[in-house]
Amino acid sequence: MKNSADSTVQQAPKKQGPIRFEAIIPLAIVSGVIALYFTLFFDGHLRRGIEYVATRVNGAEVNIGRLDTSVWNASVVIGDIAMTNPELPSRNRVQIGAMNFHMIWDALLRGKVVIDEASIVDVQIDTPRKTPGYVLPVEPVKEGEGFSDKMLAQMKDEFSGNVLGDLAAIAAGADTGEQLAAMGGDLKSTAYLDELQKSLEGKNQQWSARVAALPKGEEFTALQRRLAAVKLDDLKDVAQIQASLKELAAIRDEFDAKVKPVGETGSALTSELGSFKGSISGVDKLVRDDINDLQSRMSLPSLDVSTLSRALFGMDLLGKVQQARGYMDQARSYMPAKGSKVEDEKSKPVAAPERSKGRNYAFGTPQGYPRFWLRRAMISSRLSGGASDLSGEILHVTTDPGLIGKPMVATLRGNFPQQGISGIKAELVIDHTTAVAAERVVMEVGRYAVSGRSLVDTPAVGLGFSKAEGSMQLVAELRENNVDMRLANRFTEVAIETKAQSDVVREMISASVAGLNTVTLDANVTGTWDKLDWQLTTNLAKALEQGMSRYLKDKLDAARARIEKMVNGKINEQRKRLYARQAELESVYKSELAKRQDQINKLRGELDAARKKLDDRQKALVGAQQQRLKQEADKTLDKLRLKF
């Protein structure tokens, strides 16, 4: 019994103390691991994540030299930011010394990032890189987005400097006659007349069959014989007259039945011949198209200000429009308008499937935060050595503009003296607070240096600015799918550089731009993204047009006259043959119808005369009978008077 009691005492549990080490130790380990991660690895992982996202937005490599976070202060410092220029990977598009962010703990505890205050300092542009940056491959444009390949190719061809190269070739003595002979006779107008010729022969067969099916002359002759057999004279009583009228009506009914298809065929022939003549005259438009097409195929450009303006500055403007479209697409993707498809997709739960088909709506909550919201960022850059002198601010950058109800606004003023840029004034407004997305930018640059700017670079001719001082004013408004961009450039102290394979061409270009020290460019781009209207005017194009016309007008006029002579020579002969064949067939069928019409008219006259003769005879017999009856009545009355 004693042993049993001792065993019971040994198995009793020990009394629990105030500290529960079995819970504290695992929690301490987990907390230590988390603290170790944030201390050693978090900043590096966050830096690489920001680099990855920024690279995709920029389209080229973005590097961050340092990133420091403070959990207790809810702050982030990002320094030495270098954004590669996609068009020139050896240089940075923008370089930023540091960006300081201070976040709100209330938002962080809800899983949101709200930056109350931020500062961006030491901003520079066009700085050299230690090594060229990586440029992302251009993603194929989805159908319905951006410019289609066909439209882009058409605009590039229209805006290229080939027009000056073609003019230079003509000025250098290119033989347009050999070009014209090599093109052969594949003209749309000749093909059109060939088709009309086939159509005319087809109609000839139809008309021949239709005329052959008409009543023959013998049928009308037979009716004439029947008419001659009708008794018209020596009719003694009304019964005889009625018998003749009945026979005459039968002949008339048969006559009308035979006359009807003749009249219908004549009307149809007249209508179709008139329509065919109109078709022949329609070749005139195709002749003009053939002439214009041959001029284009012979590289025979129009020597006008509009065409030359597009050749000189069209590609620059196209690049700006493409850049604006790219920025617009990014803004609408990362800051979707309220109720847009992008916002609907982002508002869907990640894993929860839809219960039924429908539309998802995102609703704000009182005191709620969007996923990301930069309330305000101050830009201040006062670098030693005059690298930059900037000031500005950025307000309300957010992933949900509809929730906060405020558009993003960015303003910037300053200078970049090292790059020769001064007088920068810019304002950007991105208003995605409603279902109608709208963006507006107003930008002015008082002065920027231009060096080695090529405007035209073809094997035949080159034209550009070796140096100049430029200024620019840009106003762009994008609303939904509508575009309205206005650009005004002015270049002063211009030194124009020309090159050409031919001495004549070089002399022509140089003489045209001699004394031109100031170049202006005004451009308007309006319409929708799938149908833009480009309006460009520049005094450089006007100077080239006036100068080159003295050299090229006679040659261009001679080349156009040669084209017109060749086309009209082919068409006129073919058109004459077609008119002659049409006149021949018209004469044949109208003659055949005229013969029948003569018989018809003669027989109709005889029928009308016979009917009139019978009607007159009937009236005479009826009158005579009435007279006899009256006389007999009078005699009867006289006899009655004598009796009474």
Side-chain angles (χ1 to χ4, degrees), residues 345-387:
E345 290 298 324
K346 290 187 175 181
S347 67
K348 292 179 181 179
V350 175
E354 294 185 359
R355 292 176 295 176
S356 61
K357 292 183 178 179
R359 185 175 181 182
N360 294 328
Y361 293 89
F363 297 92
T365 57
Q367 305 300 321
Y369 297 112
R371 294 179 183 176
F372 176 84
W373 183 10
L374 171 60
R375 285 180 171 175
R376 186 186 187 200
M378 298 299 298
I379 301 174
S380 177
S381 182
R382 299 287 190 275
L383 291 176
S384 60

Side-chain angles (χ1 to χ4, degrees), residues 232 234-237 241 612-622:
L232 302 176
D234 299 329
L235 299 174
K236 303 301 183 181
D237 53 38
I241 294 175
K612 184 176 184 304
K613 191 172 184 178
L614 289 174
D615 288 343
D616 291 343
R617 181 57 180 164
Q618 185 176 17
K619 289 178 181 179
L621 286 175
V622 171

Side-chain angles (χ1 to χ4, degrees), residues 292-328:
N292 294 334
D293 182 55
L294 284 175
Q295 290 180 6
S296 176
R297 290 164 60 190
M298 288 179 61
S299 300
L300 200 63
S302 299
L303 186 59
D304 60 79
V305 174
S306 177
T307 302
L308 291 174
S309 296
R310 295 187 177 204
L312 292 169
F313 293 101
M315 291 303 294
D316 281 352
L317 184 60
L318 177 59
K320 288 182 172 62
V321 173
Q322 284 183 286
Q323 193 176 50
R325 177 62 192 256
Y327 288 146
M328 181 199 75

Side-chain angles (χ1 to χ4, degrees), residues 243-401:
S244 295
L245 285 173
K246 184 177 180 180
E247 176 64 15
L248 188 64
I251 296 173
R252 186 68 186 229
D253 290 342
E254 188 174 348
F255 171 78
D256 289 340
K258 294 181 182 298
V259 166
K260 184 178 179 180
V262 176
E264 291 176 347
T265 300
S267 299
L269 178 64
T270 302
S271 175
E272 291 188 23
L273 287 172
S275 177
F276 189 80
K277 287 180 180 179
S279 298
I280 297 176
S281 62
V283 77
D284 294 334
K285 179 182 182 303
L286 293 177
V287 169
R288 293 192 296 271
D289 292 343
D290 280 330
I291 292 173
N292 294 334
D293 182 55
L294 284 175
Q295 290 180 6
S296 176
R297 290 164 60 190
M298 288 179 61
S299 300
L300 200 63
S302 299
L303 186 59
D304 60 79
V305 174
S306 177
T307 302
L308 291 174
S309 296
R310 295 187 177 204
L312 292 169
F313 293 101
M315 291 303 294
D316 281 352
L317 184 60
L318 177 59
K320 288 182 172 62
V321 173
Q322 284 183 286
Q323 193 176 50
R325 177 62 192 256
Y327 288 146
M328 181 199 75
D329 289 340
Q330 286 187 358
R332 295 184 182 182
S333 174
Y334 291 101
M335 295 184 290
K338 186 176 182 179
S340 68
K341 293 182 179 179
V342 176
E343 186 188 50
D344 286 345
E345 290 298 324
K346 290 187 175 181
S347 67
K348 292 179 181 179
V350 175
E354 294 185 359
R355 292 176 295 176
S356 61
K357 292 183 178 179
R359 185 175 181 182
N360 294 328
Y361 293 89
F363 297 92
T365 57
Q367 305 300 321
Y369 297 112
R371 294 179 183 176
F372 176 84
W373 183 10
L374 171 60
R375 285 180 171 175
R376 186 186 187 200
M378 298 299 298
I379 301 174
S380 177
S381 182
R382 299 287 190 275
L383 291 176
S384 60
S388 64
D389 178 13
L390 294 176
S391 63
E393 67 175 356
I394 303 173
L395 302 175
H396 306 302
V397 181
T398 178
T399 55
D400 194 347

Side-chain angles (χ1 to χ4, degrees), residues 413-426:
R413 291 175 177 268
N415 312 288
F416 291 98
Q418 287 186 350
Q419 284 77 24
I421 302 174
S422 61
I424 298 175
K425 299 177 183 178

Side-chain angles (χ1 to χ4, degrees), residues 88-232:
L88 194 60
S90 62
R91 303 189 72 84
N92 288 315
R93 172 184 281 173
V94 178
Q95 183 173 338
I96 301 174
M99 299 175 68
N100 303 286
F101 302 102
H102 184 267
M103 293 167 283
I104 299 176
W105 264 113
D106 179 46
L108 288 174
L109 293 174
R110 303 185 192 190
K112 308 294 177 67
V113 176
V114 177
I115 301 173
D116 191 36
E117 289 286 345
S119 62
I120 303 172
V121 298
D122 301 343
V123 181
Q124 302 179 69
I125 63 171
D126 195 30
T127 57
R129 292 179 59 89
K130 295 180 180 179
T131 57
Y134 172 71
V135 178
L136 296 179
V138 179
E139 296 183 1
V141 179
K142 298 180 181 179
E143 187 175 356
E145 298 181 2
F147 299 110
S148 66
D149 292 340
K150 183 178 179 181
M151 183 187 301
L152 191 59
Q154 180 181 352
M155 287 188 292
K156 286 184 177 179
D157 181 65
E158 185 179 355
F159 296 157
S160 69
N162 291 336
V163 60
L164 277 177
D166 296 336
L167 290 169
I170 295 173
D175 190 349
T176 56
E178 293 181 359
Q179 289 181 311
L180 188 60
M183 289 176 187
D186 53 337
L187 302 177
K188 290 184 289 187
S189 50
T190 59
Y192 177 76
L193 291 180
D194 287 339
E195 288 298 321
L196 285 182
Q197 183 70 44
K198 294 178 182 177
S199 175
L200 182 61
E201 296 305 326
K203 289 183 179 297
N204 178 29
Q205 296 179 1
Q206 296 174 9
W207 292 337
S208 178
R210 191 165 182 176
V211 170
L214 293 176
K216 306 293 188 294
E218 293 80 4
E219 298 178 45
F220 292 106
T221 302
L223 288 177
Q224 286 178 317
R225 288 195 296 267
R226 284 180 60 186
L227 178 59
V230 177
K231 188 174 182 180
L232 302 176

